[in-house]
Amino acid sequence: MNFTSVHDVPDVATLINEAIELKKGPLAFSHLGLNKTLGLVFLNPSLRTRLSTQKAASNLGMNVMAVNADRDSWAIEFQDGAVMNGTTVEHIRDAAPVLGSYCDIIGVRCFPGLVSRDTDYSEHIMKQFLKWTGRPFVSLESATLHPLQSLADCITIAEHRPVHRPKVVLTWAPHVKPLPQAVANSFAEWMCRMDVEFVVTHPPGYELDPIYTGNATIEYNQEKALEGADFVYVKNWSSYSDYGRILSQDAAWMLTERHLAGTAGAKVMHCLPVRRNVEISDEIADSQRSLVQLQAENRVYAAQAVLKRILLENN
Ligand code: CP
């Protein structure tokens, strides 16, 4: 089993329940990963993904080796046939099998360049790690998707689910930098697999690739979209159609208490890190509505459920 998107999970509800069980007894399978090694490669910064995945592996008895490939090791070349007389020092064809020989499972974080949509959406970096390590692979956020985050988000929604079928709204927020679409794409495709009413709202020009939003309702009027919401997921992303560009920094889209007046007492979610008073106001971030710390905590059990499945499959 690899874990690169929701399509690697035939039974999302079962995986969510497995994660919730692990949360009740995190050390119940502490011998499963004995003498197994998880290798974590970060081509980009991380707080939550790195530490939650390390903790998840540790709860399963695994050894963990993590490397910040952007700083700690040699600059990797990903182009086939490259004449390596520039800044890259080691080809992925050489580096990845080395990782594979040291590790039983490999996790990689590889953000998009946000220059070429075709290049980023081909997932050429992730695919080369998948191909050349020869080991089960876990995405720690790729160019287009962040499945461990989305699984943690699904766990959080399951834990706070009202008795009725919940309305979940993904709302775009302003940001000072162009960010990937990965968290939004991923949240959308996982929501499409959950028993929820799912609405996406954003200014014109921020439409996500419909392959991820599926049958979600796309509503350009944020106030209308938020009406009756049980969960409001706040996230910035750069344009997919005008690829990688910031088309709006309209502060009116920042989520404040005023925006939530028409919701059903909505809980507010964000994957973190969040730019306070740009994406979400302090009053929301510090309120009882906020589930962000629970989402971060659930990253441990999301990773643990995935690693447990991979270990069992490869025992
Ligand atoms: N949400 C998330 O992936 O956080 P990090 O970037 O800190 O890992």
Side-chain angles (χ1 to χ4, degrees):
M1 173 189 174
N2 297 313
F3 185 74
T4 62
S5 82
V6 75
H7 301 292
D8 291 322
V9 183
D11 51 341
V12 168
T14 308
L15 187 61
I16 292 168
N17 287 334
E18 284 172 13
I20 290 171
E21 284 306 306
L22 286 167
K23 191 171 179 177
K24 292 177 194 160
L27 301 181
F29 295 87
S30 60
H31 296 283
L32 189 63
L34 282 184
N35 303 317
K36 301 284 186 187
T37 300
L38 173 67
L40 302 176
V41 180
F42 288 88
L43 277 71
N44 313 95
S46 169
L47 173 69
R48 280 146 290 271
T49 304
R50 177 170 177 151
L51 297 182
S52 63
T53 310
Q54 280 190 233
K55 185 164 175 65
S58 164
N59 286 346
L60 292 166
M62 299 185 79
N63 301 312
V64 185
M65 299 192 295
V67 61
N68 296 315
D70 57 333
R71 294 198 303 275
D72 301 345
S73 72
W74 306 111
I76 300 173
E77 176 62 58
F78 290 95
Q79 294 303 326
D80 277 344
V83 178
M84 292 174 55
N85 59 2
T87 53
T88 54
V89 179
E90 178 163 38
H91 203 280
I92 187 67
R93 286 174 180 254
D94 302 314
V98 173
L99 294 167
S101 73
Y102 299 157
C103 303
D104 300 282
I105 303 173
I106 307 278
V108 175
R109 166 164 283 196
C110 49
F111 285 177
L114 293 180
V115 175
S116 162
R117 188 170 88 178
D118 287 348
T119 302
D120 290 344
Y121 275 68
S122 75
E123 292 284 11
H124 74 118
I125 293 179
M126 182 179 78
K127 281 182 181 161
Q128 291 195 67
F129 275 103
L130 263 162
K131 181 174 180 181
W132 298 114
T133 58
R135 294 291 187 181
F137 180 94
V138 177
S139 168
L140 306 175
E141 187 171 345
S142 69
T144 63
L145 294 169
H146 195 356
L148 282 177
Q149 179 65 53
S150 305
L151 176 55
D153 298 336
C154 289
I155 296 164
T156 309
I157 289 172
E159 289 176 329
H160 292 85
R161 194 183 167 92
V163 284
H164 60 265
R165 185 170 180 257
K167 178 176 179 180
V168 180
V169 181
L170 170 62
T171 182
W172 179 91
H175 203 281
V176 294
K177 290 173 64 178
L179 298 190
Q181 297 93 36
V183 169
N185 285 343
S186 193
F187 185 71
E189 71 171 13
W190 283 73
M191 282 305 106
C192 289
R193 293 277 289 274
M194 299 275 282
D195 182 23
V196 301
E197 177 191 353
F198 182 48
V199 178
V200 184
T201 184
H202 52 71
Y206 280 97
E207 294 78 9
L208 297 166
D209 185 341
I211 200 169
Y212 304 112
T213 50
N215 292 329
T217 302
I218 312 298
E219 172 57 65
Y220 295 101
N221 181 328
Q222 189 190 33
E223 186 179 349
K224 192 172 167 202
L226 292 172
E227 274 170 20
D230 297 289
F231 297 93
V232 178
Y233 199 103
V234 185
K235 186 71 187 88
N236 169 268
W237 61 90
S238 59
S239 176
Y240 173 71
S241 54
D242 197 353
Y243 190 65
R245 287 195 57 202
I246 294 176
L247 305 180
S248 168
Q249 288 183 319
D250 184 356
W253 281 81
M254 175 179 80
L255 198 79
T256 68
E257 193 62 36
R258 179 183 62 77
H259 289 80
L260 299 174
T263 68
K267 299 288 188 188
V268 175
M269 304 177 72
H270 189 289
C271 62
L272 300 180
V274 65
R275 297 259 184 166
R276 281 175 173 236
N277 304 311
V278 175
E279 295 176 84
I280 296 179
S281 65
D282 274 339
E283 64 183 344
I284 297 272
D286 295 327
S287 74
Q288 295 295 316
R289 292 182 182 281
S290 172
L291 297 179
V292 300
Q293 292 300 330
L294 289 165
Q295 289 172 261
E297 181 186 348
N298 283 335
R299 291 293 306 273
V300 175
Y301 309 106
Q304 201 170 331
V306 169
L307 291 173
K308 177 177 164 239
R309 277 200 176 185
I310 294 174
L311 286 169
L312 284 170
E313 202 177 275
N314 291 278
N315 252 352

